[in-house]
Amino acid sequence: MQEQGNASDTGDDEPHAPATPAGAFQGGWANTDLKPQLLLGAAFAAKRRSAVSERFPGERIVVPSGGLKVRSNDFDYTFRPHSAFVHLTADQGTQAVPDSVLVFEPTGYGHSVTLFVRPRSPRDGGRNGAEFYGDRRHGEFWIGRRRSLSETADALGLEVAARDDLERALGRRVPTRVLRGEDAHVDALVPPASQADAELVTFLSELRLVKDDWEVGQLGAAVDCTVAGFHDVVGELGNATRLVRGERWIEGTFNRRARLGGHGLGFETIAAAGAHACVLHWMHNDGPVRDGDLLLLDAGVEADSFYTGDVTRTLPVSGRFTDVQRRVYDLVFAAQSAGIAALRPGARYGDFHEAAMRVIGEGLDAWGLRPPGGAASGSGADLYRRYTLCGSGHMLGLDCHDCADARDATYLGGVLEAGHVLTVEPGLYFQPDDLTVPEELRGIGVRIEDDFVITADGATCLSSGLPRGADEVEAWMASLR
Ligand code: GLY
Ligand code: MN
Ligand code: MN
């Protein structure tokens, strides 16, 4: 479709667009104001804003949502606001507006917080009066209706102002920290980047480490939908084996569920059949799915609240593991079980990885497998890195790899606490060209990944709706085919 707006009306320079007939869009529009309910997450976001305010007294804090990114020419990628912005506003799904900016302005007693946002396109002429029909990026007739300012205030429980007022609002000289790199206009309006900005990034990331009840509920919903996507995929395995690019069929099947039940994907779906499973983030998904091979599916639905699941199952395409596939699967299963057993408040974050790697090490030793140089160069958990490739999990939340800017002391070198949500996902990957392993193992990759919330006395699995053990996986697949 091509824009029909008039370049002089809209400020848009579109050589292919016929001029808009004079007055075509003038007047005659009913009042369609809404009275939205306060979003359920809004009260939790308000508490998080209080934490920001307490940490940075007397300073202005600026957190942009980020904007649209061009996909090609005049089409953009689907908008997804920055996770720090979501965390502090609880804004959701298709209602989130590109180029929004949350500003904490210091007052005598704390901060007044205002969300600057692009309002609904006006229908009454005047400033931006042609936007609703003429602006292909922001106009209501092009991309859909945004909330008005008062509707946004009602939905989010925030003071709201028009983005056009932002420059004036940031005019007062006051110590300012900005989440930089998300909004070039904002970056230019405030003093140059400094260490203070880096501290803000760290603080906002660490503020997300412990999830509140609402977040745990959202993660549970995201994982439930992810589990449904895995069910869908097993039902489509037969079709996938008949297609040249069966991996794409798997990807599309999961992605349909993600769009149906949530905002979309938390990350691009990894549908890796056969030796592709030895590539950790295989996202080309352009290979066949063959009977007799394994399919490693690593996928996550992102809920409308932008919280995401992250689950992996490695499935025998035929419905039954071969002996050698089962041997590898059982070892990864045992390693994951040991990792899961190490999850409890007060445990070191590294404990579950070490527990899983101990089991892998013992298993590979029993098979007589030692990576070259391993004994000399590695020790403990990372001795078998040639076959395990990466760590055994990560924090999960708004980002799949959540809280990535937290300090070592609070994350990798820290201690598990109730409310942490994380994955446990050990794997074994025997590259198809690895001459250090017996031929029968080459090209086998297995990962099993589940999502856990740390509780007061242990951990709860959010993804227990999927079978984990080899027998259970086979029985489950048989029931769906
Ligand atoms: N899905 C990416 C990961 O598990 O880290
Ligand atoms: Mn993961
Ligand atoms: Mn994953």
Side-chain angles (χ1 to χ4, degrees):
M1 201 198 317
Q2 292 186 341
E3 180 184 344
Q4 300 298 305
N6 179 321
S8 61
D9 270 345
T10 63
D12 235 344
D13 184 16
E14 288 289 343
H16 58 260
T20 304
F25 295 98
Q26 204 178 342
W29 305 109
N31 181 351
T32 54
D33 289 351
L34 301 171
K35 288 256 168 283
Q37 302 252 309
L38 185 67
L39 290 173
L40 290 176
F44 293 90
K47 281 193 194 148
R48 299 171 205 140
R49 292 196 295 274
S50 296
V52 173
S53 180
E54 275 169 36
R55 168 64 182 79
F56 299 109
E59 298 183 58
R60 178 190 287 143
I61 303 298
V62 185
V63 182
S65 69
L68 293 167
K69 292 187 178 64
V70 174
R71 185 183 184 284
S72 78
N73 189 22
D74 52 354
F75 283 97
D76 297 310
Y77 287 102
T78 302
F79 176 61
R80 203 281 191 183
H82 191 284
S83 294
F85 175 88
V86 174
H87 196 232
L88 297 175
T89 60
D91 210 359
Q92 294 204 3
T94 53
Q95 291 293 335
V97 178
D99 307 322
S100 300
V101 185
L102 189 66
V103 178
F104 295 69
E105 191 68 20
T107 60
Y109 50 88
H111 291 85
S112 67
V113 184
T114 305
L115 177 62
F116 291 86
V117 66
R118 185 177 291 109
R120 186 181 178 193
S121 311
R123 295 281 182 89
D124 55 0
R127 191 172 182 197
N128 297 334
E131 179 186 273
F132 72 97
Y133 64 87
D135 185 331
R136 62 178 46 238
R137 271 196 129 181
H138 305 296
E140 189 162 322
F141 289 0
W142 284 95
I143 51 101
R145 184 196 193 284
R146 280 188 302 278
R147 290 178 298 221
S148 67
L149 294 183
S150 67
E151 287 165 357
T152 303
D154 289 347
L156 299 180
L158 271 164
E159 292 294 318
V160 176
R163 157 108 191 176
D164 285 347
D165 295 336
L166 183 63
E167 195 160 337
R168 190 156 37 83
L170 296 181
R172 185 165 78 99
R173 290 189 68 83
V174 53
T176 300
R177 299 181 193 244
V178 184
L179 182 70
R180 283 189 192 269
E182 296 303 316
D183 189 316
H185 185 58
V186 169
D187 288 354
L189 284 176
V190 293
S194 70
Q195 181 56 28
D197 293 332
E199 287 166 7
L200 174 65
V201 169
T202 301
F203 179 80
L204 294 176
S205 198
E206 293 182 351
L207 188 62
R208 287 170 29 209
L209 278 166
V210 172
K211 273 65 179 175
D212 58 39
D213 289 347
W214 186 79
E215 293 181 286
V216 172
Q218 291 304 309
L219 283 159
V223 174
D224 285 349
C225 194
T226 300
V227 166
F230 276 72
H231 283 259
D232 295 343
V233 162
V234 170
E236 288 294 326
L237 274 176
N239 285 332
T241 59
R242 289 188 278 277
L243 298 164
V244 174
R245 297 206 289 184
E247 291 177 343
R248 290 285 169 92
W249 193 256
I250 301 300
E251 175 189 329
T253 300
F254 185 85
N255 295 7
R256 181 184 59 203
R257 175 62 62 175
R259 287 293 283 168
L260 183 69
H263 184 249
L265 300 169
F267 53 91
E268 292 301 316
T269 295
I270 297 164
H276 290 159
C278 300
V279 180
L280 288 172
H281 288 175
W282 174 258
M283 294 169 177
H284 298 324
N285 301 344
D286 56 0
V289 175
R290 295 194 181 93
D291 251 354
D293 278 350
L294 295 174
L295 169 73
L296 186 156
L297 177 64
D298 181 346
V301 173
E302 180 181 80
D304 283 318
S305 57
F306 300 118
Y307 288 83
T308 187
D310 179 16
V311 173
T312 306
R313 284 296 179 272
T314 307
L315 307 169
V317 175
S318 69
R320 298 294 296 269
F321 292 97
T322 65
D323 288 347
V324 66
Q325 288 168 351
R326 183 180 271 255
R327 188 147 50 93
V328 178
Y329 190 94
D330 284 348
L331 182 51
V332 174
F333 174 77
Q336 196 207 21
S337 302
I340 294 167
L343 297 178
R344 70 180 69 87
R348 289 182 308 121
Y349 176 82
D351 284 352
F352 74 92
H353 173 60
E354 285 176 21
M357 291 303 103
R358 195 171 310 120
V359 171
I360 294 265
E362 287 164 6
L364 294 184
D365 250 4
W367 297 357
L369 260 187
R370 278 244 149 178
S377 64
S379 70
D382 292 316
L383 189 59
Y384 295 89
R385 196 66 171 241
R386 184 178 176 106
Y387 310 131
T388 59
L389 299 188
C390 62
S392 300
H394 52 83
M395 295 292 180
L396 180 70
L398 284 164
D399 292 338
C400 174
H401 294 168
D402 210 34
C403 310
D405 293 302
R407 291 163 298 169
D408 259 17
T410 59
Y411 187 172
L412 282 184
V415 167
L416 293 180
E417 276 181 56
H420 283 166
V421 175
L422 73 167
T423 69
V424 179
E425 50 174 310
L428 273 172
Y429 311 93
F430 298 115
Q431 303 299 327
D433 55 349
D434 190 342
L435 303 179
T436 71
V437 299
E439 201 166 342
E440 62 177 0
L441 291 178
R442 292 179 205 158
I444 293 181
V446 173
R447 175 161 68 253
I448 312 172
E449 175 174 29
D450 287 278
D451 303 338
F452 297 86
V453 57
I454 304 297
T455 59
D457 54 4
T460 300
C461 182
L462 299 174
S463 43
S464 59
L466 287 176
R468 270 196 328 117
D471 287 342
E472 290 75 26
V473 166
E474 288 183 351
W476 170 66
M477 293 180 72
S479 75
L480 290 174
R481 297 179 76 163

